[in-house]
Amino acid sequence: MAQEITLKDRFGYMLWMRHFELACLEGVPTREIHGELHTAVGQEAISAGMVGFLTQEDAMCSTHRNHMHAIAKGVDMRAMLAEIFEKSTGICGGFGGHMHIFDAALKFSATGIVGAGVPVALGHAYAARLKQNQAVAVAVIGDGAVNTGAFHEAMNMAGTLALPLIVVVENNEWAISVPFSASSATETIAERAPAWKAHGVRVDGLNVEEVTHAFESAIMRARSGGGPSIIEAMCYRFRGHFEGDADMYRTKEEKERRRAQDPIDLTRKTLISKGLATLEELEETEKSVAAAISEMLSSVRSDSSPLGKDALKYVFAE
């Protein structure tokens, strides 16, 4: 399946991810979206590199910054956008909001608790071992999550039992306002992998081809009984930790310099330099994606909101 997905296809996914999140941003100033909204603008290459390798039986456990991961897993974008905009047509009926996207059929889940997705993914990996169905479990986390007890305990068990667990660490170098260099005893996260009998690799998370290769290798290793893997993908979030974050902990110079390395621009240049597409073709693709997302957003905005009388629905067991 993954072999049929070309670099041009992955570029297309990156565009869908970018414009989906830009649509989400429209709901913040209008108060259509309440609470914190976390976006991953600038980190598209990581999720796009995971597209096509996971089956319906494979599980993916994400974070508060989950939209792109959900798209990579195949979650319906309109249902997800409706959930984020708190509509009754949302994938969770509008009750979960953007931090709690959940699709049972695709075994996709997200949590706002830092590091909490790793032990959930571990459970899926152990279930796959018991069922002997060749399924794998993927946990996507940020660099701040690797310093939690949940991460260590889950990795230790995965290594002990050689479970098919893949942990993708989106190392954007900032755990909210704390730089990675100030919170890690090791220079990299990947180098910690041997402590849990796991395979560790650090990749350029702005290079979708590099991410694709690393993820494919981890998938093959997991399915063949090779045990857990940690993929540390270096990246940079273009916006603050959440919408409303003053983002004063990063200098203006740093942000301007790092945002100049846009993974979408880098992939576009690669496609053109390799003769795989023309600038005109890629610009037309982006126009088409932007128009489709705009139409989707307009449609979602016309949907109804959950009824007040259902406020306690799904809160208690019935």
Side-chain angles (χ1 to χ4, degrees):
M1 178 180 175
Q3 284 67 30
E4 300 173 1
I5 299 177
T6 65
L7 178 59
K8 190 175 179 180
D9 293 331
R10 295 192 190 280
F11 176 76
Y13 272 101
M14 292 169 72
L15 293 177
W16 280 104
M17 293 167 183
R18 172 68 60 87
H19 285 279
F20 182 92
E21 293 221 306
L22 293 180
C24 291
L25 290 174
E26 291 192 29
V28 177
T30 60
R31 301 291 292 168
E32 293 169 276
I33 297 175
H34 297 84
E36 296 182 354
L37 176 72
H38 308 80
T39 66
V41 176
Q43 301 180 191
E44 293 83 2
I46 300 173
S47 293
M50 295 191 283
V51 171
F53 294 106
L54 300 175
T55 69
Q56 188 167 329
E57 282 301 307
D58 297 325
M60 179 180 279
C61 301
S62 183
T63 68
H64 51 280
R65 209 178 302 280
N66 57 63
H67 311 150
M68 295 181 188
H69 312 148
I71 293 173
K73 189 63 169 73
V75 174
D76 183 89
M77 278 191 282
R78 192 195 187 284
M80 179 164 58
L81 190 63
E83 183 64 33
I84 295 167
F85 273 77
E86 305 167 21
K87 301 295 185 178
S88 59
T89 52
I91 198 165
C92 298
F95 291 97
H98 105 91
M99 277 200 285
H100 306 102
I101 302 299
F102 180 76
D103 188 328
L106 288 176
K107 294 187 176 179
F108 180 88
S109 62
T111 176
I113 302 174
V114 175
V118 187
V120 176
L122 176 75
H124 282 292
Y126 189 55
R129 169 64 54 77
L130 295 176
K131 294 178 181 178
Q132 298 184 332
N133 62 2
Q134 289 281 289
V136 303
V138 179
V140 189
I141 59 175
D143 50 285
V146 303
N147 297 325
T148 65
F151 171 78
H152 167 74
E153 292 172 26
M155 287 305 306
N156 186 59
M157 185 175 289
T160 300
L161 301 177
L163 296 177
L165 174 68
I166 300 169
V167 179
V168 178
V169 184
E170 295 181 316
N171 188 347
N172 58 31
E173 303 174 26
W174 290 91
I176 305 182
S177 60
V178 180
F180 177 71
S181 59
S183 62
S184 176
T186 58
E187 290 187 11
T188 73
I189 295 167
E191 68 188 88
R192 303 183 194 180
W196 304 294
K197 296 177 71 174
H199 177 78
V201 61
R202 179 186 253 205
V203 299
D204 179 0
L206 305 180
N207 186 323
V208 68
E209 292 179 292
E210 203 170 311
V211 176
T212 298
H213 175 72
F215 194 69
E216 181 177 31
S217 297
I219 288 286
M220 293 174 63
R221 187 179 300 107
R223 294 202 199 284
S224 62
S229 294
I230 295 175
I231 299 173
E232 180 184 10
M234 302 305 296
C235 57
Y236 195 79
R237 55 174 164 80
F238 287 4
R239 304 183 69 84
H241 174 64
F242 65 95
E243 292 308 304
D245 176 10
D247 199 2
M248 300 298 287
Y249 44 87
R250 302 188 295 183
T251 66
K252 180 179 179 181
E253 182 279 330
E254 175 192 329
K255 286 183 280 189
E256 290 179 349
R257 174 172 50 84
R258 299 300 295 277
R259 286 170 182 166
Q261 294 296 301
D262 189 320
I264 289 179
D265 291 342
L266 295 174
T267 307
R268 183 187 293 111
K269 290 176 181 176
T270 298
L271 284 165
I272 295 172
S273 67
K274 289 185 175 182
L276 300 175
T278 65
L279 177 60
E280 291 72 25
E281 288 175 336
L282 300 181
E283 288 179 339
E284 190 59 37
T285 297
E286 182 157 16
K287 287 180 182 178
S288 177
V289 169
I293 288 291
S294 180
E295 183 178 342
M296 184 188 299
L297 176 58
S298 178
S299 174
V300 162
R301 280 175 154 159
S302 67
D303 291 350
S304 61
S305 299
L307 298 175
K309 67 181 182 64
D310 294 329
L312 297 182
K313 196 173 183 180
Y314 308 122
V315 176
F316 303 103
E318 298 178 1

